[in-house]
Amino acid sequence: MTSTFDIVVVGGGSNSLTAAAYMAKAGKRVLVLEKNRRCGGGVVSVEVAPGFIHDPHATGLMTCMVNPALAKNELELTTRFGLKFAQWEAAFTTLFDDGSVLATHQDVDLTAQSIAQFSQKDAESYRELGRRCVKLAPLLNAGAATPPMPFSRFMGLLDSDTTGIGAELASSLFNSAYDVICRYFESTEVRLHYLKWIGEAMENPESNGTGVLVYNLLALVHSSGPFAVVGGSQKLSDALVDCIEYHGGTVRTQAEVVKLTISGGRATGVVLADGETIAAKDAVLACIHPWRLKQFIPEIDDRTAADARAVKLSNHGAVNQQISLSREPIFIGGNASILRNSMVVEYMPRGDFLGMRKIYDGYKYGEIPYGHFNPLTIINSFIDKTRVPKPDQAALYLYHFAPMHLADGGIKAWDARKQEYGDLVWASFKKYTTNIDDSCILGRLIETPLDHHRHSASMMQGDIFGIGTAGGQILGRRPTPALANYRVPNIAGLYLTGPFMHPGGTVTLGGRPTAMVMYQDMGIELKRGFEI
Ligand SMILES: Cc1cc2nc3c(=O)[nH]c(=O)nc-3n(C[C@H](O)[C@H](O)[C@H](O)COP(=O)(O)OP(=O)(O)OC[C@H]3O[C@@H](n4cnc5c(N)ncnc54)[C@H](O)[C@@H]3O)c2cc1C
């Protein structure tokens, strides 16, 4: 027998759970179907050694903190469902191989002071850039939590600005992050610091169209600040599930959807891998990667499907390791204080600017960056002791960019290269500490682009943000102009959510704008779910 719900939701990642929570809050009977054993997708936690809580994917949070789902407590995640955050002082810090440190703090002036160690002129430039980003933050942050305006209207808005910021932001949509960084900064260390950080958007910072990411990321740093979920990122997904259930919704795991049913030009339900069918009275809300739309919905028109299939993936993926350590790292250079208070720490040789630039090109060709490993760590146990059995132990998140497709063997070759790559990154990290060796390892989990691809259908080919963020695949053009408003042309009652939709990758709680569009189409008053 086919069961019926008002809204059937495909996927239990943070974006679909967010949208589902808003629909349940509006009184709709919601069913969420998740393929994995637990909901969360890229927002999950694992116990790598007994008592050590690691987040294998999203662990450093910024974007979602300015979303009214949290910032205005629209879903009551903190007050009713027990979600807690710990805040970092700095967003990202570079530890160079000579022990010197450069930190981007939440505070613009503190950041400029850190930059002044390397260049007084760059410190002044940062004050100017930082101030611009602070001014842009309300526009960019509000834009990330609401449906995107048509691209032409957005450009018109920038063009009509008379302060000069609009024109600069408009140029950044066509320029590269490298262009913006080199325009503002002259010192190699400052350039390295920001070039590496922008790479975290998974694009080559020299690709045209990445310039806007500099403004975006700095606006976030200086508005929201950096956070971690106390007890592990899984608790954010669990709070969203609790919210859905509190409002009468149902969440099923180990339930993989293989097809949508379309009848009379309308989405009417889903088919599960075991053949079970479930009907949707009002709508299907689906996390389906643009490349797979035709597979799930053969009825989709050919042009829409072809444009979606032509969407480009990111420049690189990542190999991430969760290492349970018997002791906290002590870093070279004696700068313990800020290194223990920065969400992200990047490790790199001082002065290797050309090497860094070439690495990003190499990923595109499937090359392993031998001799140029520059790891990143996030050690949430510095600020959240619930993640470790003893306070002097550490739950290390050790991460490094990687080609999604290896030159020799493509993505499938990753199982065979996993240990080698993981060991190279680990060896590189150890050099930046004075007390860490292999005997400190109590547990270790390594994941490659192939593991990411297997874990979530959103992480297509190991793209941790689903699709690329450059090449115009942002705002009202993400993933394509026809799909950017979360609806699918010619198929009523079908809505899309996922990292490949606006506002994009990272934990954004981007299901909020999808739900807004659904409220509008269903004639539900926005104030039932949103503070507007
Ligand atoms: C290694 C790594 C590190 C990251 N680090 C950070 C970070 O520090 N900070 C940050 O903000 N972000 C980070 N991210 C990105 C972040 O995890 C993602 O952008 C985010 O999780 C996307 O959420 P989503 O809900 O759109 O998709 P996903 O999290 O991918 O969830 C989609 C869910 O849908 C399910 N699903 C898909 N298709 C079906 C189907 N047909 N049937 C049933 N279920 C289905 C999947 O199993 C999955 O659970 C990282 C990602 C990775 C992989």
Side-chain angles (χ1 to χ4, degrees):
M1 200 181 77
T2 301
S3 50
T4 303
F5 290 80
D6 295 336
I7 317 267
V8 177
V9 182
V10 181
S14 55
N15 278 323
S16 359
L17 290 173
T18 302
Y22 279 106
M23 298 318 295
K25 189 179 169 190
K28 293 290 179 188
R29 287 185 60 238
V30 170
L31 169 68
V32 177
L33 298 164
E34 165 56 45
K35 161 182 82 82
N36 293 336
R37 294 172 72 86
R38 284 195 88 165
C39 281
V43 186
V44 289
S45 301
V46 288
E47 194 176 8
V48 171
F52 285 82
I53 308 299
H54 293 260
D55 304 331
H57 309 137
T59 194
L61 302 183
M62 288 203 298
T63 331
C64 60
M65 305 307 294
V66 293
N67 185 314
L70 283 169
K72 295 196 172 161
N73 202 23
E74 284 175 348
L75 295 177
E76 301 181 282
L77 299 181
T78 48
T79 44
R80 193 184 286 276
F81 304 110
L83 186 61
K84 289 196 195 107
F85 293 96
Q87 185 168 11
W88 296 93
E89 185 197 319
F92 58 102
T93 298
T94 300
L95 172 57
F96 292 107
D97 59 352
D98 64 354
S100 55
V101 160
L102 174 47
T104 294
H105 297 258
Q106 190 176 352
D107 183 81
V108 173
D109 282 324
L110 275 180
T111 308
Q113 279 170 33
S114 185
I115 289 175
Q117 303 169 87
F118 301 94
S119 159
Q120 195 58 47
K121 187 163 171 272
D122 286 356
E124 286 317 309
S125 298
Y126 193 85
R127 285 201 173 88
E128 188 191 331
L129 177 62
R131 270 196 295 272
R132 287 176 174 230
C133 292
V134 168
K135 274 205 184 121
L136 285 168
L139 171 79
L140 297 177
N141 293 344
T146 47
M149 64 176 81
F151 200 69
S152 54
R153 197 168 348 134
F154 182 68
M155 290 307 282
L157 189 76
L158 297 183
D159 280 345
S160 65
D161 168 69
T162 52
T163 64
I165 300 181
E168 187 172 330
L169 198 63
S171 301
S172 76
L173 290 163
F174 302 97
N175 292 339
S176 71
Y178 174 83
D179 297 330
V180 177
I181 289 165
C182 292
R183 169 184 165 173
Y184 275 95
F185 307 119
E186 60 176 19
S187 126
T188 302
E189 290 77 13
V190 179
R191 287 181 174 184
L192 274 170
H193 177 67
Y194 289 108
L195 206 70
K196 178 77 195 302
W197 173 244
I198 293 301
E200 302 302 339
M202 312 317 282
E203 288 290 3
N204 183 336
E206 297 198 39
S207 293
N208 285 335
T210 53
V212 67
L213 300 174
V214 178
Y215 300 86
N216 232 326
L217 282 169
L218 293 181
L220 263 181
V221 168
H222 295 307
S223 52
S224 121
F227 289 84
V229 178
V230 173
S233 291
Q234 181 75 55
K235 300 230 181 243
L236 171 54
S237 303
D238 292 350
L240 286 164
V241 169
D242 289 348
C243 177
I244 293 164
E245 291 176 344
Y246 173 81
H247 290 291
T250 307
V251 178
R252 275 176 62 184
T253 53
Q254 295 179 281
E256 182 180 2
V257 174
V258 291
K259 196 175 170 308
L260 307 195
T261 48
I262 310 292
S263 169
R266 183 169 191 87
T268 52
V270 301
V271 182
L272 301 191
D274 62 6
E276 181 183 349
T277 56
I278 299 171
K281 192 164 78 53
D282 295 341
V284 175
L285 164 62
C287 178
I288 301 177
H289 192 277
W291 285 14
R292 301 175 82 206
L293 282 173
K294 191 80 181 168
Q295 173 191 332
F296 278 80
I297 319 156
E299 296 83 351
I300 193 170
D301 68 62
D302 288 343
R303 183 59 201 249
T304 306
D307 287 349
R309 184 61 188 78
V311 160
K312 288 206 278 186
L313 302 187
S314 298
N315 182 67
H316 45 269
V319 166
N320 55 311
Q321 308 183 51
Q322 309 307 321
I323 307 183
S324 307
L325 292 176
S326 59
R327 59 172 86 122
E328 293 184 324
I330 297 173
F331 299 101
I332 58 166
N335 287 294
S337 162
I338 193 58
L339 295 169
R340 292 177 63 92
N341 279 295
S342 178
M343 176 176 79
V344 165
V345 179
E346 307 264 12
Y347 306 82
M348 63 184 94
R350 193 167 169 176
D352 187 21
F353 192 51
L354 189 60
M356 163 80 79
R357 292 177 60 194
K358 286 183 172 170
I359 289 170
Y360 288 114
D361 284 335
Y363 293 134
K364 189 168 63 189
Y365 302 115
E367 291 167 7
I368 292 181
Y370 292 112
H372 289 282
F373 276 92
N374 304 314
L376 169 158
T377 61
I378 299 181
I379 308 179
N380 284 321
S381 53
F382 280 151
I383 58 166
D384 172 14
K385 293 295 171 195
T386 68
R387 293 176 179 244
V388 279
K390 295 185 191 155
D392 56 349
Q393 296 176 325
L396 173 71
Y397 175 101
L398 176 62
Y399 167 104
H400 203 284
F401 301 147
M404 291 188 274
H405 289 260
L406 288 164
D408 192 3
I411 192 168
K412 291 207 176 91
W414 266 116
D415 280 345
R417 306 300 289 276
K418 181 193 300 219
Q419 193 66 40
E420 174 201 354
Y421 204 95
D423 286 347
L424 285 165
V425 178
W426 168 242
S428 174
F429 166 71
K430 282 186 292 187
K431 287 192 211 143
Y432 290 84
T433 71
T434 59
N435 67 335
I436 296 295
D437 58 32
D438 293 359
S439 70
C440 303
I441 300 179
L442 301 177
R444 187 177 182 194
L445 169 74
I446 309 175
E447 288 184 324
T448 70
L450 181 56
D451 296 311
H452 301 144
H453 175 77
R454 288 178 182 136
H455 174 71
S456 171
S458 292
M459 301 173 193
M460 175 65 71
Q461 303 291 304
D463 186 341
I464 72 168
F465 290 168
I467 64 172
T469 307
Q473 296 180 168
I474 56 168
L475 303 164
R477 299 181 63 84
R478 188 173 182 87
T480 67
L483 296 170
N485 65 8
Y486 311 103
R487 304 179 183 96
V488 178
N490 302 323
I491 301 182
L494 175 56
Y495 299 88
L496 299 174
T497 188
F500 32 78
M501 307 301 295
H502 174 77
T506 75
V507 183
T508 60
L509 304 189
R512 182 181 190 266
T514 311
M516 280 186 149
V517 169
M518 294 175 76
Y519 273 46
Q520 281 163 346
D521 286 359
M522 292 176 191
I524 304 168
E525 273 191 298
L526 285 177
K527 68 176 185 214
R528 271 189 83 168
F530 310 93
E531 269 201 35
I532 45 168

